[in-house]
């Protein structure tokens, strides 16, 4: 069997690298391991999930439409309109929304649909995909497997943890097919302002590339709600050309196993994506779409979860806030801690505290120009547990970091 050389360029997935890093290190004896390396919410799902799945059990024997049911797309469009204060009718559920199994799969497929000629060209002619560095690793994998050049743009403390795509050489922007941005960000939690989003949309339209805004952490915030891509489109006149936004219930509704999300925006881009997904995309089963629609229509559980995350971050400030590398993020549920050496800190946390965290270098790639990895000094810590478990994990982590 012939191998795809793109897989060699990807290297091991971050969680496999982490397992290899710790495989020969025993956790502290007598301590129950606490897993803070993965962004998997541990809060209970709302009761309505099980209720809606049971109520719609008759749908298990039907193939669901690839684009999603009318009810699901209507619920998503209504939520977008309410959440971002969009003009009534701006988002037509029949044209501007399609269902997805969470957001990871469709973020990946967007590169396959957006990169022209599946990577045709070489050197200065090769299509480019803009990616923040550090990043959610799916962006890099999608760019490579689509045959594009991944252009890594620093998203570090010096840049406010956001990439400055507007500062790139126009020659790079002219061959850009797609740009990814996560706001609030993974792993740093930075939030792009409405003005910054408008600048990015203007850039995408000027140079003719697709802007993929990953907004899966949009409902976990401290202070004020993060603006969104379609909100910026509305402020610019209402057209959604060149913009797709991605949402999921995994974080918003503590439902990572439900695998229900959506992508919305540019109808022409959605039509291409839907064609691709018709050939190779997983469909969200009907009972799960019904449960997801009910979740999009309920804000009470989201407000309760947000209050819980507020308490977790207050706890983190109390336990770790006196560290020089600590900083508060306005969104998401990750701590991005400067510990000097992320791999060493990860090993110490596991060896001395039975706490598993993610080395920051596994969330980023070396800068092609300098060879430096902007995540090497950091660890990513997921604040996703109940208060007692989180306090135990953070306390053990603090002690391990002081050794």
């Amino acid at each position: 069997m012939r191998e795809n050389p793109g897989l060699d360029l990807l290297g091991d997935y971050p969680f496999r690298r982490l397992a290899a890093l710790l495989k020969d290190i025993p956790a502290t004896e007598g301590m129950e391991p606490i897993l803070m390396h993965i962004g998997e919410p541990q809060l209970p799902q709302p009761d309505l999930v099980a209720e809606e799945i049971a109520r719609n059990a008759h749908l298990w024997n039907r193939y669901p439409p690839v684009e999603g049911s009318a009810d699901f797309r209507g619920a998503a469009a209504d939520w977008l309109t309410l959440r971002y204060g969009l003009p009534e009718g701006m988002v037509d559920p029949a044209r501007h929304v399609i269902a997805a199994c969470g957001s990871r799969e469709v973020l990946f497929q967007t590169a396959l649909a957006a990169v022209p000629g599946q990577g045709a060209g070489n050197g200065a002619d090769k299509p480019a995909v803009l990616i923040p560095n550090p990043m959610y690793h799916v962006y890099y994998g999608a760019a490579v497997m689509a045959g594009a050049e991944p252009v890594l743009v620093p998203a570090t403390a010096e840049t406010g943890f956001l990439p400055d795509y507007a500062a790139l050489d126009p020659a790079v922007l002219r061959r850009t097919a797609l740009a990814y941005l996560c706001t609030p960000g993974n792993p740093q939690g930075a939030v792009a302002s409405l003005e910054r989003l408008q600048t990015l949309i203007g850039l995408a339209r000027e140079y003719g590339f697709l802007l993929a805004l990953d907004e899966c952490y949009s409902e976990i915030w401290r202070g004020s709600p993060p603006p969104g891509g379609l909100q910026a489109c509305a402020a610019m006149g209402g057209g959604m050309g060149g913009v797709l936004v991605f949402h999921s219930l995994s974080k918003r509704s503590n439902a990572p196993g439900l695998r229900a999300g959506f992508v919305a925006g540019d109808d022409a881009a959605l039509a291409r994506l839907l064609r691709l997904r018709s050939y190779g995309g997983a469909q969200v089963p009907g009972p799960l779409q019904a449960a997801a629609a009910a979740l999009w229509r309920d804000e009470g559980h989201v407000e309760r979860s947000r209050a819980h995350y507020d308490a977790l971050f207050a706890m983190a400030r109390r336990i770790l806030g006196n560290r020089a590398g600590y900083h508060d993020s306005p969104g998401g549920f990750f701590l991005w801690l400067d510990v000097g050496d992320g791999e060493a800190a990860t090993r110490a946390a596991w060896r001395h505290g039975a706490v598993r965290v993610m080395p920051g270098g596994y969330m980023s790639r070396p800068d092609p120009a300098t060879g430096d990895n902007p995540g090497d000094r950091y660890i990513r810590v997921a604040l996703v547990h109940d208060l007692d478990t989180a306090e135990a994990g953070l306390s053990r982590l603090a002690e391990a970091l002081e050794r």
Side-chain angles (χ1 to χ4, degrees), residues 86-97:
L86 305 180
E88 202 66 37
M90 174 177 160
V91 180
D92 178 351
R95 293 175 53 218
H96 299 129
V97 180

Side-chain angles (χ1 to χ4, degrees), residues 29 32 41 44 55 62 64 81 88 116 131 145 152 164 192 200 209 236-237 295 298 314 377 385-386:
E29 189 173 345
E32 184 72 21
R55 186 177 296 119
R62 299 181 190 173
T81 300
E88 202 66 37
I131 301 170
M145 298 311 293
L152 303 178
D164 187 0
L200 283 173
F209 61 80
M236 298 171 72
L295 287 173
D298 181 75
R377 294 184 55 86
H385 298 83
D386 62 84

Side-chain angles (χ1 to χ4, degrees), residues 1-340:
M1 182 180 72
R2 294 181 179 179
E3 296 183 0
N4 188 325
L7 290 174
D8 295 330
L9 295 175
L10 295 183
D12 276 340
Y13 201 62
F15 296 106
R16 292 178 62 87
R17 291 181 67 188
L18 176 61
L21 178 71
L22 300 180
K23 69 177 182 178
D24 297 325
I25 301 175
T28 305
E29 189 173 345
M31 284 187 178
E32 184 72 21
I34 299 177
L35 306 182
M36 306 182 83
H37 66 296
I38 185 169
E40 182 181 71
Q42 301 296 299
L43 299 178
Q45 286 185 3
D47 293 340
L48 64 84
V49 173
E51 294 166 0
E52 289 296 325
I53 291 173
R55 186 177 296 119
N56 291 274
H58 62 284
L59 297 176
W60 286 118
N61 70 341
R62 299 181 190 173
Y63 286 120
V66 177
E67 66 272 20
S69 69
D71 183 60
F72 176 89
R73 287 178 289 151
D78 289 346
W79 178 80
L80 285 168
T81 300
L82 179 66
R83 165 64 173 83
Y84 295 107
L86 305 180
E88 202 66 37
M90 174 177 160
V91 180
D92 178 351
R95 293 175 53 218
H96 299 129
V97 180
I98 60 175
C101 291
S103 57
R104 184 172 78 161
E105 177 190 76
V106 72
L107 281 163
F108 186 95
Q109 291 171 336
T110 294
L112 302 182
V115 173
Q118 292 300 288
N122 217 330
D125 297 323
K126 193 175 183 68
V129 173
L130 310 184
I131 301 170
N133 194 28
M135 73 197 79
Y136 177 40
H137 24 269
V138 169
Y139 310 152
Y140 190 90
V144 169
M145 298 311 293
E149 177 193 352
V151 176
L152 303 178
V153 182
T156 60
E158 291 73 24
T159 68
F161 296 113
L162 290 167
D164 187 0
Y165 293 152
L168 290 172
D169 188 325
V172 173
L173 293 171
R174 279 193 291 271
R175 61 186 178 90
T176 295
L178 174 67
Y180 285 109
L181 180 68
C182 187
T183 175
N186 174 13
Q188 314 96 318
V191 170
S193 67
L194 187 66
E195 293 74 21
R196 193 180 193 110
L197 291 173
Q198 290 176 281
T199 297
L200 283 173
I201 292 168
L203 197 70
R205 292 172 179 173
E206 178 183 355
Y207 286 95
F209 61 80
L210 184 64
L211 178 61
L213 295 170
D214 182 355
E215 299 177 348
C216 71
Y217 298 95
S218 68
E219 303 314 285
I220 303 173
W221 43 266
R222 291 157 290 284
S224 58
L230 299 191
Q231 184 179 356
C233 287
M236 298 171 72
M240 293 178 281
V243 179
L244 292 180
V245 298
F246 300 77
H247 286 271
S248 168
L249 293 169
S250 298
K251 279 71 177 176
R252 174 188 181 271
S253 298
N254 312 308
L258 192 64
R259 307 315 304 140
F262 67 82
V263 53
D266 184 322
D267 56 350
L270 286 176
R272 292 191 295 273
L273 184 57
L274 183 59
R275 189 186 312 168
L276 174 67
R277 287 181 54 74
S278 296
Y279 279 93
Q283 299 148 288
V284 183
L288 304 190
Q289 287 193 48
L295 287 173
W296 289 117
R297 292 180 173 119
D298 181 75
E299 289 296 320
H301 73 281
V302 182
E303 293 167 0
R304 292 189 292 273
S305 291
R306 193 155 47 237
H308 179 78
Y309 288 117
D310 284 346
L312 289 177
F313 272 83
M315 178 190 296
R317 283 192 296 274
R318 172 170 55 82
I319 296 173
L320 293 169
N322 61 347
R323 291 187 55 83
Y326 182 88
H327 81 96
D328 271 329
S329 62
F333 50 47
F334 295 117
L335 295 177
W336 185 240
L337 300 178
D338 186 344
V339 292

